[in-house]
Each structure stands twice: as C-alpha cells, then as structure tokens.
Amino acid sequence: DVKVTQSSRYLVKRTGEKVFLECVQDMDHENMFWYRQDPGLGLRLIYFSYDVKMKEKGDIPEGYSVSREKKERFSLILESASTNQTSMYLCASTTGVETQYFGPGTRLLVL
Amino acid sequence: ILNVEQSPQSLHVQEGDSTNFTCSFPSSNFYALHWYRWETAKSPEALFVMTLNGDEKKKGRISATLNTKEGYSYLYIKGSQPEDSATYLCAFLRGTALIFGKGTTLSVSS
C-alpha cells in the first residue's frame, strides 16, 4: 500500500513563528503536492514538485515556500506564520498524472 | 485560474436512495478528470481517473461518466448507504497538477 505520512496531525503556532510541515512518501513518486483546505473553498494547490530540488508555484503560493532535498520528502515552510494561514494542510504524491495519494493532513492553528 | 464547479454543494438522502452529482470543467485542453471520496477524519481516496470522452467507470455501487466535449462528468451512487456519507471531489488535470472543485457533501441517513 502507498503510504503518505505527515509530521503532525495537529499543530498550534504563534504569529510570526517559522513553521515546517513535512511530508514523506514511500512509493518513489516523482510528483509531490501541498494543498490547503478551507471551508467553502475546497482544496487549493500551494506548491508542487516534480523532481528533487524542483518546485512550481500553485494557485496560492504567497506566504509559503517549499523544499525537496530528497525524492521521498517534501516540506512546506511558513516563513512567518500569520492567522490567515490557519487551515488544514494536505500533502499528496503521484507518479506521472495518475491517482494522487494523500496524507492524513495537518490541522494548523496560528494564534 | 481554471474553474471546476461541482453541484450540488451538499445533499441529504435516505438509505437506499440513488443519487448523482455533477462536475463541470473547461472543455479545452482536456487531459484527465479525477474523482475522490473524502470521509471525515480520513485522507481523500481516489475513485476514478477518467481520460476519454464517453468514458464510463464503475466501482461497486458507484459509477461515473465523462463528456469532454461539453465539459462535465456525473458521479452516480446506486442505493446509498450510510457509509457513503463523505465529500466527493472532482479534479481537472492541468499539466502535472490537479485543480479541485469545492466538492459535494453527501449525508445518508439510515
């Protein structure tokens, strides 16, 4: 079974803190994605990566950066967390353009 | 930004009812349309990946059709059960990334 894990299920941070969300997949997938999910807005793409050290902006990259140093790991970084980044963050991976496999999500609260 | 629209936003049915939802997407530059089911406290899980106009896919009581020329897909659930309660997401493939609709939330009462 494909497994996508995320470092935390719940996280509480303060405004201005630097926040790291980590995602690891065990299926040697080339492509990895970070989404956020907000009520009434659905899943929105923040960033994705199609190879090690490669990244592409999604639809809402502002306030975020990413890192992909190893194929299996894709990190989302909030350089200076703000309250409007309180959300559910989901990581996904896939090979090519096939089915995406999602992690369990991280619910982040920024106070 | 491409728009992927889903309707209805939410739906409440009785056990045994059959139901269907709609996903509308841009009909130009079509590559694939995905359907996912997202149950509360779980990860979204893939139902179907559809690529050809006229495609029909089936998994148990759930089936989906695709019309790429007019830009819509239908998801059907026959004989809904309480365990079908979830949010159903469709997503349009843009390059390597998926653009998701806001989902249809189905609630099935026993």
Side-chain angles (χ1 to χ4, degrees):
Chain A
D1 274 355
V2 175
K3 194 153 189 181
V4 181
T5 57
Q6 294 183 228
S7 48
S8 306
R9 291 300 298 269
Y10 301 95
L11 211 50
V12 180
K13 295 292 181 181
R14 297 210 173 271
T15 302
E17 280 193 75
K18 190 168 186 175
V19 182
F20 292 87
L21 303 181
E22 293 213 321
C23 174
V24 178
Q25 51 95 2
D26 66 357
M27 281 301 290
D28 202 37
H29 285 166
E30 294 86 8
N31 303 327
M32 296 186 75
F33 307 84
W34 275 106
Y35 299 92
R36 62 179 281 179
Q37 193 262 342
D38 300 289
L41 295 178
L43 278 172
R44 293 181 293 165
L45 181 65
I46 304 171
Y47 265 98
F48 66 98
S49 169
Y50 52 89
D51 203 348
V52 175
K53 297 191 186 295
M54 306 303 289
K55 60 185 179 184
E56 291 279 348
K57 292 180 181 178
D59 296 317
I60 51 164
E62 295 79 19
Y64 303 94
S65 62
V66 290
S67 172
R68 189 145 180 224
E69 296 296 319
K70 293 185 177 182
K71 191 174 186 180
E72 67 271 18
R73 189 179 299 267
F74 190 35
S75 301
L76 180 70
I77 304 155
L78 288 64
E79 295 289 343
S80 177
S82 63
T83 54
N84 63 13
Q85 292 178 309
T86 290
S87 188
M88 166 74 93
Y89 290 88
L90 282 153
C91 173
S93 73
T94 186
T95 182
V97 294
E98 298 301 319
T99 299
Q100 289 196 7
Y101 295 89
F102 285 85
T106 296
R107 195 170 288 280
L108 173 66
L109 172 63
V110 182
L111 299 173
Chain B
I1 296 178
L2 295 171
N3 273 334
V4 177
E5 304 287 342
Q6 290 189 249
S7 63
Q9 184 176 344
S10 62
L11 195 55
H12 187 109
V13 301
Q14 295 295 313
E15 184 175 357
D17 288 349
S18 293
T19 187
N20 65 84
F21 326 132
T22 304
C23 173
S24 300
F25 52 86
S27 56
S28 59
N29 299 316
F30 178 85
Y31 294 103
L33 193 283
H34 293 216
W35 281 100
Y36 291 83
R37 174 167 62 197
W38 194 359
E39 295 177 67
T40 303
K42 294 187 178 180
S43 309
E45 289 185 339
L47 288 172
F48 306 113
V49 177
M50 309 183 79
T51 56
L52 297 175
N53 185 44
D55 243 358
E56 288 191 33
K57 298 223 172 179
K58 189 174 181 181
K59 183 184 281 190
R61 294 179 290 99
I62 304 177
S63 60
T65 60
L66 179 68
N67 183 323
T68 61
K69 294 186 189 306
E70 295 182 39
Y72 65 84
S73 175
Y74 294 138
L75 188 79
Y76 300 92
I77 302 179
K78 185 178 178 182
S80 301
Q81 299 296 310
E83 58 264 31
D84 295 327
S85 297
T87 296
Y88 292 82
L89 300 169
C90 72
F92 176 83
L93 185 65
R94 181 190 68 188
T96 311
L98 288 174
I99 306 302
F100 282 85
K102 294 177 184 177
T104 294
T105 298
L106 174 67
S107 176
V108 182
S109 299
S110 55

